[in-house]
Structures are given as C-alpha cells and as structure tokens.
Amino acid sequence: MTARDGEAVNPPRTDARRHHDPDVRGFASDNYAGAHPEVMAALALANGGHQIAYGEDDYTANLQQVIRGHFGASAEAFPVFNGTGANVVALQAVADRWGAVICAESAHINVDEGGAPERMAGLKLLTVPTPDGKLTPELIDKQAFGWDDEHRAMPQVVSLAQNTELGTLYTPDEIRAICDHAHQLGMRVHLDGSRIANAAAALDVPMRTFTNAAGVDILSLGGTKNGALFGEAVVVINQDAVRHMKHLRKMSMQLASKMRFVSVQLEALLAKDLWLRNARHANEMAQRLAEGVRSVHGVEILYPVQANAVFARLPHDVSERLQKRYRFYFWDEAAGDVRWMCAFDTREEDVDGFLAALKEEMAR
C-alpha cells in the first residue's frame, strides 16, 4: 500500500489491543469504572441469534417483571441509552410544552446536562438554592406559584435526585413529604436515580421505600454508575401521570434497536442482588476514604458522606499536584473544593494509596 507521494504506508492494525492499565483506578467518577463481570457475562448470554428489535425481545419483557418486583405492580420500564436521555424523556412525560420543573440549583439536570432539559425538552428549570442539595416543601414553595400567569412558565414537576449531586440523601419520610406537597399543588414528582442503588444501600431499605411507596410518579433508573456498560431506564410508576412514553422515547432519540443489550444489563443488576452488592461496596470505600481524610490536618470534608462521594476543601496547589497522581475533579476550583468518587471496583488499596499520596502532598 502506497501514499500519493510514493512513500510506503503501513496498513492499520486491526487486532484488538489493550490501551490502558487495568490496575489504575482514580477517584474522578464512578463512570470511569468498567462493567461488572456479571454484566459482561449477561451481555454474552444475550448475544447470538435473532431477537425482535426495538424492545419486543424476551430480555426486555423479562425486565418488566424484575422492575415490578422493585417498584410495584403498575411500574413499567423504558430502557434508554444514558442518564441525560432518561431525565429528558421522563420530564417531558410529566409536563406540558409550557411547563416548568422545580429543582435544586445544584441538581444534575441544571448544572451537568448541557441545558438538555431546556434545549431538547423545552422545559424551563426553576431552581432553588439549597444548603445540602436537598429540596423541602418550603423550598419548593419559593418557585411554586403563578400557574395562571401566562408570562411565567407553569410549575408542573418537582425533580429531586437520590442521591443528590452533593452526595447527600433524602430519608423516605422527606421524599414522602415532598410528594404529598407537590401533589396537593397539582404537580408531579420525578426522581433522578442515577445513583439510586447507592442511596438504597446507604439507607438500608428497598428502593420502593422512597419511590413508589413515597409517591414518586416517574423515575430515571441508573445502571451505568453501578456496573453496567451503558444504559439506563425511565420507570413509569404512576401510569395516570404519563402520556405517550413510547413516542417520547423515540422522538428523543433514546429508542435502542437492539434493546436486549440494554435490558439484559439492567436485569443482571436488578434480578438478584448485584445492584446492592456493587453499591454497598462503593459506599464502604467512600466511608474508608472519608475516615482517612478526617485525620489529615488542613483538609475539610464539606458535606455528610452518605453514599459514594466525598466532597472536600484543601489547598489548590495540593490538589493540582495530587491530580498528577490520581484522577479527580475540582467541584469549585475558586474555593478549592474537590469531589472524590468511589465505584463498585474501588479497592481498599486504592483508597489507602490515595490517602498516603494526599498526606505526602499536604506535608510538602
């Protein structure tokens, strides 16, 4: 094979090669982790032969039974590609074209989705500052007004995240109070559950305790952060609150043709206890990290460590040096705030090595 100028060009390699060190782990995001081996085995099991496309396959049908076991007899799962897609589809499903969504100012839908709920769904986000990422009925009331004012987007949905973007947790009673209040005002409740497994593991309750049993209408169910290769689901809990989900998913470009490969991953996580094992381990590693950080003078933990995230404040130059050894992100670079995340595959030696590096850099 030759180039135009006559020089020889080596043909591209076509064999698969590993391009990273599988023993390297950081604390940037639980999205950095690979897929759990049991999920990969499930994908291989679902491969081969033909299955009906676009969700009419046997794996998606069985997933519905699994979902009902977690979220009630009326629950229905609509697998999608990713978390932003799940949130956008779910919010559209419970709001009119002129509707608005009340959420915490720190909510993922507000700060980390590129404006997708507003750009793609056309929904105004009405944000509320919170001290810990959590909404309350009183905070919701700061934006819950003006339903008959044509000059203002109509508040129709309350969106909360469990865990919150700051790693904090709602108790089941707190979510129930929010749902009761929102419903009394004629609004629906959406729960962003990208890390719902971590919340259930930390609270030591079934997921239904703070979803369908608490009055949540629709749920974005996470898989990727808990050991899936890709894929989440919109779970419709209150069928009376939702219209035309199938059409919304399609027009939002979230309908997978080979849906069996999304569904089988969620089935692998949820049919038994893999979801819970993964989440418990990630949470335990975050507690181990937080315990070690508390002994380091000059480092402040900012929020209660309730799931798999640790938010801390330390000197900016220390963080920059530490980032050369371990991956993690600044949360508020001006203030020196950082976020450290643990995943289902975080090891004790990863945490201990990071703590040793942190102590070394703080001592410099």
Side-chain angles (χ1 to χ4, degrees):
M1 185 175 180
T2 59
R4 289 184 179 180
D5 59 6
E7 294 182 3
V9 175
N10 294 325
R13 293 179 62 91
T14 58
D15 57 315
R17 292 176 291 166
R18 190 187 296 278
H19 296 284
H20 77 291
D21 183 347
D23 289 326
V24 172
R25 292 171 176 83
F27 296 87
S29 173
D30 36 11
N31 282 322
Y32 277 40
H36 192 280
E38 292 179 38
V39 171
M40 295 299 288
L43 281 164
L45 183 69
N47 197 24
H50 286 201
Q51 277 278 286
I52 304 173
Y54 300 110
E56 299 298 320
D57 58 276
D58 294 337
Y59 298 91
T60 302
N62 191 66
L63 176 64
Q64 302 304 329
Q65 300 303 317
V66 174
I67 288 294
R68 291 177 189 128
H70 285 286
F71 302 107
S74 65
E76 185 176 6
F78 293 83
V80 295
F81 289 113
N82 54 46
T84 298
N87 286 335
V88 168
V89 172
L91 292 173
Q92 286 183 94
V94 288
D96 292 313
R97 184 67 179 84
W98 50 88
V101 178
I102 298 174
C103 64
E105 190 174 67
S106 59
H108 195 276
I109 60 173
N110 183 49
V111 300
D112 280 311
E113 294 190 340
E118 295 188 320
R119 294 174 184 233
M120 305 304 294
L123 295 169
K124 175 67 176 175
L125 299 183
L126 303 174
T127 63
V128 183
T130 67
D132 55 3
K134 294 166 59 175
L135 293 173
T136 65
E138 294 74 21
L139 289 173
I140 289 167
D141 282 344
K142 292 181 180 295
Q143 291 283 14
F145 63 90
W147 286 276
D148 292 325
D149 183 356
E150 67 268 33
H151 301 289
R152 188 172 195 265
M154 182 186 292
Q156 291 186 322
V157 185
V158 173
S159 179
L160 55 151
Q162 179 78 315
N163 330 333
T164 73
E165 197 70 357
L166 302 181
T168 53
L169 295 175
Y170 291 93
T171 67
D173 286 343
E174 287 172 332
I175 293 182
R176 189 174 297 108
I178 287 172
C179 291
D180 289 346
H181 188 66
H183 292 156
Q184 287 170 4
L185 296 173
M187 295 190 292
R188 305 300 188 184
V189 178
H190 162 255
L191 190 142
D192 181 347
S194 66
R195 295 187 176 97
I196 190 174
N198 300 94
L203 293 168
D204 196 25
V205 298
M207 291 183 287
R208 70 176 71 90
T209 305
F210 55 85
T211 53
N212 52 304
V216 170
D217 296 295
I218 195 164
L219 163 71
S220 298
L221 176 66
T224 310
K225 293 179 173 65
N226 194 35
L229 182 65
F230 67 93
E232 323 279 294
V234 176
V235 178
V236 176
I237 296 173
N238 179 5
Q239 295 289 341
D240 293 334
V242 173
R243 294 170 294 172
H244 307 299
M245 265 296 304
K246 292 174 67 173
H247 299 280
L248 283 172
R249 179 174 57 176
K250 175 65 175 181
M251 68 179 290
S252 299
M253 299 173 286
Q254 289 292 318
L255 178 64
S257 57
K258 297 184 180 181
M259 195 180 295
R260 59 171 147 160
F261 296 112
V262 182
S263 298
V264 75
Q265 294 180 76
L266 297 174
E267 179 187 19
L269 287 169
L270 297 169
K272 294 183 180 178
D273 68 343
L274 179 58
W275 68 276
L276 189 57
R277 283 187 279 128
N278 285 351
R280 280 179 174 162
H281 178 79
N283 291 356
E284 289 168 2
M285 292 300 99
Q287 290 296 334
R288 185 183 185 92
L289 176 59
E291 183 179 351
V293 168
R294 290 188 184 100
S295 68
V296 182
H297 179 71
V299 181
E300 175 189 2
I301 293 180
L302 299 175
Y303 306 107
V305 179
Q306 297 179 320
N308 63 324
V310 178
F311 290 81
R313 180 173 295 163
L314 62 157
H316 192 280
D317 60 323
V318 173
S319 291
E320 286 189 322
R321 293 197 303 269
L322 194 57
Q323 283 178 324
K324 295 177 181 178
R325 303 170 67 173
Y326 288 87
R327 286 295 298 258
F328 63 89
Y329 292 115
F330 278 101
W331 189 253
D332 182 342
E333 191 163 3
D337 299 350
V338 298
R339 186 191 73 170
W340 298 321
M341 296 296 302
C342 295
F344 77 88
D345 63 346
T346 302
R347 304 168 299 187
E348 290 185 357
E349 52 264 41
D350 299 326
V351 174
D352 296 344
F354 179 79
L355 288 169
L358 173 62
K359 292 173 182 178
E360 289 174 7
E361 297 300 343
M362 286 294 293
R364 284 180 59 178

